[in-house]
Amino acid sequence: VLRVVESGGGSVQAGGSLRLSCAVSGYTYSVACMGWFRQAPGKEREGVAAIYTGGGNTYYADSVKGRFTVSQDNAKNTLYLQMNSLKPEDTAIYFCAARVARDYCGLLPDGFGYWGQGTQVTVSS
């Protein structure tokens, strides 16, 4: 069993920065891919960034490339999402998720079986 817990959300003005953290506990050795997803009111959940835990390959949505950076600290079993140059359209609930199947790592939420409770990010103009 895996447990995923996000933290670090909050409110910031446009142009500001936030760093989200995601602590993973349990059978952490089984995790193949970690991802960050977000869901704004009235919109579908979308992939923001993902990282293949074995090789470190990263994947980003076009809307966040150059502004967001996903990283991992294996010693702490923690995933991070550094968000810079935030825009009002980044406002959403951000979720961290873990995937154990090794056949895919990317921005599609299907197959990510372990999800956190989400953390709110609000960017004001």
Side-chain angles (χ1 to χ4, degrees):
V1 176
L2 289 169
R3 186 165 181 251
V4 177
V5 180
E6 307 96 336
S7 61
S11 298
V12 66
Q13 289 190 329
S17 298
L18 283 173
R19 189 177 80 157
L20 304 183
S21 299
C22 173
V24 185
S25 59
Y27 295 134
T28 57
Y29 63 87
S30 65
V31 176
C33 177
M34 294 290 301
W36 286 102
F37 300 81
R38 67 186 181 187
Q39 188 164 19
K43 294 188 177 182
E44 292 187 356
R45 188 170 298 188
E46 64 172 348
V48 174
I51 185 167
Y52 177 55
T53 59
N57 291 353
T58 56
Y59 310 87
Y60 295 96
D62 288 343
S63 58
V64 306
K65 280 181 182 176
R67 300 188 298 122
F68 289 11
T69 302
V70 61
S71 62
Q72 58 183 358
D73 184 332
N74 291 331
K76 296 181 179 179
N77 292 321
T78 301
L79 181 76
Y80 302 100
L81 184 68
Q82 178 66 44
M83 304 185 295
N84 299 328
S85 302
L86 282 161
K87 304 176 181 180
E89 51 263 43
D90 294 318
T91 295
I93 299 174
Y94 283 70
F95 299 88
C96 176
R99 178 186 173 98
V100 298
R102 299 182 180 275
D103 58 339
Y104 171 81
C105 186
L107 305 180
L108 297 177
D110 295 347
F112 283 83
Y114 303 90
W115 292 79
Q117 78 288 352
T119 186
Q120 177 70 47
V121 171
T122 302
V123 185
S124 58
S125 58

